[in-house]
Amino acid sequence: MDDAPAEPLDRAQAEVAELLSDLIRIDTTNTGDTATGKGERVAAEWVAGKLDEVGIGSQIFESERGRASLVARIPGTDPSRPPLLVHGHLDVVPADPSEWSVHPFSGEERDGYIWGRGAVDMKDMDAMTLALVRDWARTGVRPERDIVLAYLADEEAGGTLGARWIVDTHPDLFADCTEAISEVGGFSITVRDDLRLYLVQTAEKGLAWMRLTASGRPGHGSFVHDDNAVTRLCEAVARIGSTRLPTVLTPPMRAFLDAVSEAYGVEIDPDEPEESLARLGSISRMIGAALRNTANPTMLDAGYKTNVIPGTASATVDGRFLHGQEAEFERQLAGLIGEGIQQEWIVHDQAVETTFDGPVVDAMVAALKSEDAGARPVPFTMSGGTDAKSFERLGIRCFGFSPLRLPPELDFAALFHGIDERVPVESLRFGIRVLDRFLRSA
Ligand SMILES: [Zn+2]
C-alpha cells in the first residue's frame, strides 16, 4: 500500500488481520512454568518493532528471563487530563494441533476468519490496538488524553510474572491512570436484527483456591475403622460439589438481568435466573456463574495402597466469590467443610467492581452506538479473573472492553481457550472503528 490512504482508519482496517495473523504465529504458550513457556519476549519485540516503524517508542521489562512485557505511551493533546490505560496480554494457553481444523499457530485466514490460539483471548485486541495507534501515528491523529499501552506477559497463569509484577515494581508507569480497558467484554449477543446487547465487563469475581486436608487414624484396611481421613474428606468434598450457593444480585448483574429481561420481553425470576438466561446460548454458563459464589472440587489426593488407611487425605477446591461477598463466602464454606478438616488458601485474590457510569462509560456507549445503531451496551460480571485485578490495586477503574460485533451464529464463549479459536475479520474492523471513536472521545 502507498503512503496516501483515502480515508482515516483505512490502513488500520486493512492491516489488522495481518497483524493478528503475525502475532498468532509467534507461539506464546504459557504453561505456568517459565522453563517450558515461550515466545513472550519475541512477541514483545515484535510489538516494539511495529510501534517503532511509526515513531512510537516503547520499553520492554522482564520479570524473569523471556517473560517480557512492553509499555508505551501515546501523548495526548490535553496534558491536564489523566491518562487512560489500554492493556492486553501476549501469552496464550496451550493448544493441541491434533484437535484443530487448522494449525493453532498458523494464523490462517479462512472463510472470513483469522484462526489460531489467541484469536479471541486476546491477540485480537492486541492487534486492533496496535493497528489503530499505527494509523494515528501515520495520519497525525492525537487523542485528548495520554494513552498508556501495555502488552503483558503471564496473564494465563495469574499475571504473577506480568501485570502483577509490573504493577508492584514499576507502578510509576501507570501513575495517574484513572481508567483501563482490556478483555473480556465489548462483544455482541444478537437479540434480533435490530438489537444487539454489548456486554461490557465492570466486575470480576474474587479467587479463593484452597486445599482441604482431613486427618484420621491410620490403620489396616481389613479392620473395622471409624476414623477414616478419606471418608471424612469425601463427605466434605461431596457437600461442596453438590451444593448450589444462593443467588446474589450484585449491581452489574441486576442491570444485566434487567437489560436481558427488557430485550427479550421476559420476566426473570431473580431466584431462578438460569432458565431465562438459557436463551443467551453458551454465554449463559459464564453469566450464570456471576450470580452466586461458587466452589468446585477439582483435585483429590490420598493413600498409597489399597489395604492401608492413610492418616491424611487432601483435596483442592476452586472457589470464586462475588464483590462484597468474601466474608459470606467463607462462612458458607465453613458450613460445608464441617469439623476435622483443615483449610488453607493456595491462591486468594480480591473481587473487583466498578460502576457502569461516568464520562468513560458514556464514551463507550456512544462509540458502540455510532458504529451499530442496534447496540445496547450492558454491564456484566466476569466469572473468571484477568489482569484487571492487578491494575485495580492502583486505584484504576477497569473495564472489559474489546469491542467486537459478532455474527449471531458464532458460539463466542466456547472459543475462549477452545478448539478452533477464531475471530471474524469484519469484527476486528468494527472493533478498530469503535476503539478509535472511544479513545479519541473518552
Ligand atoms: Zn485473556
Side-chain angles (χ1 to χ4, degrees):
M1 194 186 285
D2 66 25
D3 285 326
E7 296 289 332
L9 300 185
D10 263 6
R11 237 170 162 155
Q13 295 187 79
E15 76 170 3
V16 65
E18 190 186 328
L19 290 175
L20 176 56
S21 291
D22 286 353
L23 196 47
I24 287 171
R25 277 185 216 114
I26 304 171
D27 179 352
T28 52
T29 297
N30 184 357
T31 60
D33 174 7
T34 294
T36 55
K38 50 187 167 187
E40 287 167 346
R41 175 87 206 184
V42 180
E45 282 175 3
W46 177 85
V47 172
K50 291 293 169 189
L51 292 172
D52 186 56
E53 269 176 24
V54 294
I56 301 172
S58 61
Q59 268 183 293
I60 291 178
F61 302 86
E62 276 195 350
S63 53
E64 284 181 4
R65 197 176 157 76
R67 310 307 305 268
S69 296
L70 173 144
V71 178
R73 197 170 182 117
I74 315 285
T77 54
D78 183 356
S80 72
R81 298 198 58 203
L84 189 145
L85 170 64
V86 182
H87 62 98
H89 61 85
L90 290 169
D91 61 323
V92 296
V93 294
D96 177 355
S98 70
E99 298 175 324
W100 284 57
S101 311
V102 304
H103 194 285
F105 298 103
S106 66
E108 190 175 323
E109 182 169 353
R110 186 194 282 190
D111 306 327
Y113 285 74
I114 302 296
W115 297 62
R117 180 56 88 220
V120 303
D121 185 8
M122 61 172 294
K123 289 179 170 176
D124 54 340
M125 178 64 169
D126 295 337
M128 290 194 296
T129 313
L130 193 55
L132 179 61
V133 300
R134 278 163 59 87
D135 193 298
W136 283 355
R138 284 166 159 156
T139 52
V141 169
R142 285 178 68 191
E144 222 173 83
R145 302 170 67 172
D146 279 15
I147 307 284
V148 176
L149 293 176
Y151 292 85
L152 302 155
D154 200 36
E155 193 275 342
E156 297 293 1
T160 318
L161 297 174
R164 184 60 51 96
W165 175 84
I166 208 163
V167 160
D168 286 346
T169 57
H170 298 79
D172 46 299
L173 292 167
F174 312 102
D176 306 325
C177 285
T178 47
E179 292 99 3
I181 61 165
S182 188
E183 60 177 347
V184 171
F187 57 90
S188 65
I189 293 176
T190 303
V191 179
R192 48 175 198 266
D193 278 354
D194 62 348
L195 179 59
R196 274 161 294 283
L197 300 177
Y198 281 80
L199 275 57
V200 177
Q201 188 204 130
T202 58
E204 284 183 9
K205 289 175 86 175
L207 235 81
W209 293 355
M210 72 206 84
R211 180 175 293 108
L212 304 180
T213 305
S215 300
R217 197 173 71 247
H220 200 291
S222 70
F223 292 178
V224 172
H225 198 97
D226 58 4
D227 185 19
N228 186 323
V230 176
T231 309
R232 180 169 298 127
L233 179 81
C234 288
E235 283 169 352
V237 164
R239 279 193 298 272
I240 292 167
S242 57
T243 299
R244 181 171 284 203
L245 296 170
T247 304
V248 179
L249 286 187
T250 53
M253 293 314 286
R254 188 174 296 277
F256 178 79
L257 290 184
D258 284 349
V260 170
S261 166
E262 197 190 318
Y264 289 95
V266 291
E267 286 288 320
I268 295 182
D269 176 356
D271 294 320
E272 287 297 331
E274 269 85 355
E275 281 176 36
S276 316
L277 288 177
R279 68 182 64 220
L280 299 177
S282 74
I283 209 89
S284 64
R285 285 198 304 275
M286 188 163 88
I287 300 296
L291 298 169
R292 52 172 53 84
N293 301 327
T294 58
N296 285 307
T298 49
M299 295 196 285
L300 291 168
D301 186 22
Y304 52 89
K305 199 167 185 302
T306 308
N307 61 354
V308 178
I309 296 169
T312 61
S314 70
T316 61
V317 177
D318 179 348
R320 312 271 176 152
F321 54 89
L322 289 161
H323 189 256
Q325 282 281 306
E326 192 170 347
E328 174 63 11
F329 179 60
E330 286 177 21
R331 201 190 56 75
Q332 289 166 337
L333 271 178
L336 292 169
I337 292 169
E339 299 296 314
I341 292 180
Q342 199 197 345
Q343 179 202 354
E344 61 182 315
W345 301 123
I346 307 169
V347 178
H348 202 278
D349 210 346
Q350 87 275 19
V352 299
E353 188 171 300
T354 187
T355 49
F356 193 59
D357 59 11
V360 158
V361 169
D362 293 345
M364 277 177 206
V365 171
L368 283 169
K369 289 190 167 181
S370 299
E371 292 299 328
D372 179 358
R376 187 175 301 171
V378 293
F380 86 109
T381 298
M382 162 88 164
S383 57
T386 72
D387 283 338
K389 286 195 188 339
S390 297
F391 290 110
E392 200 259 357
R393 292 179 164 208
L394 299 175
I396 300 174
R397 293 177 72 196
C398 294
F399 297 90
F401 188 66
S402 303
L404 293 175
R405 177 177 170 167
L406 298 169
E409 68 282 2
L410 184 68
D411 184 355
F412 189 59
L415 298 178
F416 283 79
H417 300 189
I419 294 163
D420 286 345
E421 186 178 346
R422 62 197 184 280
V423 67
V425 174
E426 272 315 311
S427 303
L428 298 169
R429 293 182 179 144
F430 170 86
I432 284 176
R433 298 193 299 272
V434 173
L435 285 173
D436 174 64
R437 287 179 188 273
F438 168 68
L439 292 172
R440 289 167 71 172
S441 63

